């Protein structure tokens, strides 16, 4: 038997289970803010003298109960000992420095001698929650916990999670904590295990985090389950990247492409979200070029998608005409590609003495920018800076940005810029190669640029050069750029001595 009791001592639900467990009814969404309780405590019986179970403690957190109380039934049918659990308001460690469990459990030998004044107790607990230092905000950015789970190499999983944390910061979130789990297989309901999710929720309550960001792409049903059961805003890697793109898009084409990608991502998810879950579709702080339009219902979403696709086809035709014109003038096209933050824009700036936006941010560049680069003997090439790649680049984005990526597809030469100072350089290299192959540019002549050698360990970039034959440079100090220009000249002009002449 179980009773749900509110703060005034009124019984709101009577639940009858079997010998093993109770099924608590749907309690509806809880109204309080983050860290607040639902104002209900669960008092139930344990028939075999067993202590509070993992399920009890999971309910405590997931249902945001004030407390879970188990009364053990004695053999003679009378109530015996009591166990009592609440969610711990602050992080704590035991004497040996081991983190304490996120709940507090107390035990009394009998219900009868138990004289705790629950009203005073819960008031005190609420006060402790309110005093948590973690809740004193340093900024008005939303706080998040980034969550990674892998069935493969833990090290790769952690590196991916680090990158996710950077993406979250880039998107305007404060990363309050990271949670990582290695599993044999993904959980169908929550991706991570249920116990782990409960741990994440308690951490979120303790740290005042309102958003969970998952490194895995979540199936629509997983997204819904996690959001419903934790009452937190839930994002996955794809949504985060889409959100960043939405914040960054400047050109008309860029905005249309992002909106299309968002629609493609959200349409199957809209279909199964209860309307109350509309905040799932809001992104971070509800920004982005397409936000107001995304409020529209599913049928309109499909119409919008068709219209976006048409507009983008037109823009793509115009872009291709522009390319043809450039081609007729006879200037070779060089595309700069690479992992995000590798230094592509900085390289374009240094080589052409321009001032394209280059920042220590992921995805600083969305719109391709072209500049002329002069070589001796009156020869010129067109150098184009492009959007960066990242691991697990959402398919929706690749599709939506196809027009932009065509700049790369039709280039005469591809400069692949790699951040040689990154510990993840090898991963980035492989990831970009794979994306280029997907785009069908595997056969375009390519020069690998090992950038940021000013910041890299000499042994590390030399090993990379040995293995790949790349050209070491620093777009920041200008080191190695002469060798790079030589290489470009050789690749483009040796075969076609007349290419790039203004008179050609
Ligand atoms: N130390 C060092 N930093 C560099 C070098 N080249 C670029 N950076 C820095 O790396 C950061 C990213 O540079 P960007 O040129 O914006 O990189 P990007 O590849 O265009 O990045 P996205 O457009 O965001 O994909 C900036 O803070 C640059 O100042 C370099 O050679 N050495
Ligand atoms: Mg850039």
């Amino acid at each position: 038997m179980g009773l749900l009791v509110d703060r005034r001592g009124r019984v709101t639900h009577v639940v009858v289970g079997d010998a093993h467990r109770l099924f608590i009814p749907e309690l509806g969404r809880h109204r309080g803010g983050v860290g607040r309780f639902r104002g209900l405590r669960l008092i139930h019986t344990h028939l075999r003298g067993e202590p509070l179970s993992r399920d009890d403690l999971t309910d405590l957190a997931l249902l945001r109960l004030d407390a879970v109380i188990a009364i053990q039934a004695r053999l003679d049918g009378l109530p015996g000992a009591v166990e009592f659990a609440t969610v711990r308001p602050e992080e704590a460690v035991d004497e040996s420095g081991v983190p304490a469990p996120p709940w507090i459990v107390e035990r009394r030998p009998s219900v009868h001698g138990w004289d705790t004044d629950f009203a005073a107790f819960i008031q005190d607990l609420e006060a402790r929650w309110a005093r948590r230092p973690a809740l004193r905000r340093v900024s008005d950015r939303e706080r998040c916990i980034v969550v990674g789970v892998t069935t493969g190499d833990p090290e790769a999983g952690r590196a991916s999670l680090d990158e996710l944390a950077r993406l979250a910061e880039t998107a305007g979130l404060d990363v309050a904590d990271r949670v990582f789990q290695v599993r044999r297989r993904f959980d169908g309901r929550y991706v991570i295990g249920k116990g782990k999710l409960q741990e994440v929720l308690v951490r979120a309550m303790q740290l005042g985090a309102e958003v969970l960001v998952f490194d895995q792409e979540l199936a629509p049903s997983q997204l819904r389950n996690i959001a419903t059961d934790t009452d937190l805003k839930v994002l996955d890697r794809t949504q985060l990247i889409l959100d960043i793109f939405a914040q960054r898009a400047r050109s008309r084409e860029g905005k249309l492409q992002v909106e299309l990608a968002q629609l493609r991502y959200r349409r199957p998810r809209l279909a199964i979200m209860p309307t109350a879950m509309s905040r799932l579709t809001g992104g971070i702080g509800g920004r982005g070029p397409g936000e107001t339009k995304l409020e529209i219902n599913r049928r309109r979403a499909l119409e919008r998608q068709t219209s976006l696709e048409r507009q983008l086809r037109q823009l793509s035709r115009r872009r291709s005409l522009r390319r043809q014109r450039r081609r007729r003038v006879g200037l070779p096209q060089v595309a700069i590609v690479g992992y995000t933050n590798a230094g592509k824009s900085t390289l374009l700036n240094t080589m052409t003495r321009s001032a394209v936006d280059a920042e220590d941010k992921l995805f600083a560049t969305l719109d391709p920018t072209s500049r002329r680069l002069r070589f001796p003997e009156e020869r010129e090439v067109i150098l184009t800076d492009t959007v960066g790649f990242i691991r697990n680049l959402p398919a929706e984005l690749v599709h939506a940005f196809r027009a932009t990526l065509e700049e790369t597809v039709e280039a005469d030469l591809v400069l692949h810029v790699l951040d040689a100072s990154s510990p993840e350089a090898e991963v980035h290299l492989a990831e970009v190669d794979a994306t280029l192959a997907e785009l069908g540019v595997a056969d375009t002549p390519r020069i690998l640029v090992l950038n940021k050698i000013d910041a890299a360990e000499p042994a590390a970039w030399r090993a990379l050069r040995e293995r790949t034959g790349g050209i070491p440079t620093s777009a920041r100090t200008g080191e190695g750029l002469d060798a790079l220009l030589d290489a470009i000249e050789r690749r483009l002009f040796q075969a076609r001595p007349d290419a790039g002449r203004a008179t050609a």
Side-chain angles (χ1 to χ4, degrees), residues 248 338-347 349 357-366 385-389 417 421 451-455 473-477:
R248 290 286 158 76
Y339 211 74
T340 183
N341 211 43
K344 300 179 293 297
S345 303
T346 312
L347 188 69
N349 284 340
D357 252 1
E359 286 176 81
D360 192 11
K361 269 188 192 166
L362 303 180
F363 300 116
T365 307
L366 282 198
D385 181 21
T386 58
V387 58
F389 298 163
V417 181
S421 74
N451 192 35
K452 303 200 190 180
I453 53 164
D454 59 300
T473 64
S474 165
R476 181 167 286 177
T477 66

Side-chain angles (χ1 to χ4, degrees), residues 478-490:
E479 201 180 337
L481 291 189
D482 285 340
L484 177 59
L485 288 170
D486 280 349
I488 297 174
E489 207 175 346
R490 255 181 288 126

